[in-house]
Amino acid sequence: MAASSIYVHIPFCEQICFYCDFNKFYIKNQPVDKYVEVLNEEMKRVISMDEKPSIETIYIGGGTPTALNEQQLKQVLDDVNTLVRNPEQVREFTVEVNPGEADRDKLKMMRAAGVNRLSIGVQSFNDKLLEKIGRGHSAQEAVETIDLAKSVGFENISIDLMFGLPEQTMEIWKDTISKTLELDVPHISAYSLKIEEKTMFYNWYRQGKIQPLPEDTEAEMYEVLVSGLHDAGYTAYEISNFSKYGMDSEHNKTYWKNNEYYGFGAGAHGYLDGTRYANIGPLPHYIKAIENGESAVKESHEVPKTEMMEEEMFMGLRMKEGVRADRFESKFQTSYYTIFPEVIHDLLERELLYDSGDSLHLTKNGKLLGNEVFEQFLLVY
Ligand code: SF4
């Protein structure tokens, strides 16, 4: 199936958060205009103007796209639009926004360029906690950005939250959930903290300066989240993603359904023609490669069928709709029971999976032990 999604990476941030291991750079003194220029060059090399693809979803992420000024961001959006055969067919066009970085003019410009969804990095509505995790905005700025976005006509807004943060109490978490609900946005993503290498948090953790929350507390926070959002009318359509009716993120479903997509920009990942690839991450190297007429791809990996089947299982199980038997069979000409007989039977017996007749799903316990379940599918080959 041809790729119908585009991801574009903008690797700049106004402030570096203490937990973040994404490919990003503090924006001050960075060659942002040059980046915008070579990014366009990379895109045009991969997508021929004579054979523009039919694109259904576009996602501009980072870093933070809104760290760019209005003119730079407009250039990126215009450049992406020129790659698409028919911009009217794009169902979902998302830009990640950091609170306080998008004024009315920037938001209006985005709408005029076809953006119809914003993903806003709120993380918490507690100012002390925001400071402790290195965010560069206050809770009030997050509320103002969301109100402003609504006032210029954005209806499809997603809020990102984090839990399991050092010093985050259950009370703080419940307060953040209730403030989120007051804002009445149609989509919420919530991720637990993972202390990753090459982050400030990792250094502090090794030095004993911060402690992650106990696993039990984190699991309890997740349960509070799931039940609070369920009562407010949200569906947990994926382990970490919650939506009001019809407001799932179509772009992110591309990843969970294991479909192919274009990935552009420094450190971006993509999946085309059965090959997963990662672009060069460091900014000067990425820019130099493009300027020298070389590929931006640092490494690529042709995905063997066995690996595709593993991915189909553990990515698909993240979603409420689960892994559909007919979809698996039409993709691989065999059934998942034939490929993973023991693993599936074991997980069914342990009540971590259930079979609804036409698809496999995680149970409530399976969701709590998600990674343990997913790993089982990796042990087969
Ligand atoms: S979390 Fe977002 S804003 Fe913070 S450093 Fe990472 S990419 Fe930048």
Side-chain angles (χ1 to χ4, degrees), residues 13 15-17 19-20 22 24 62-64 98 135:
C13 297
Q15 180 153 331
I16 302 300
C17 307
Y19 55 85
C20 178
F22 297 155
K24 80 298 171 184
T64 355
N98 258 2
R135 299 291 296 176

Side-chain angles (χ1 to χ4, degrees), residues 10-15 61-68 96-98 101:
I10 305 295
F12 304 109
C13 297
E14 292 279 0
Q15 180 153 331
T64 355
T66 48
L68 268 51
E96 285 182 354
V97 171
N98 258 2
E101 286 182 6

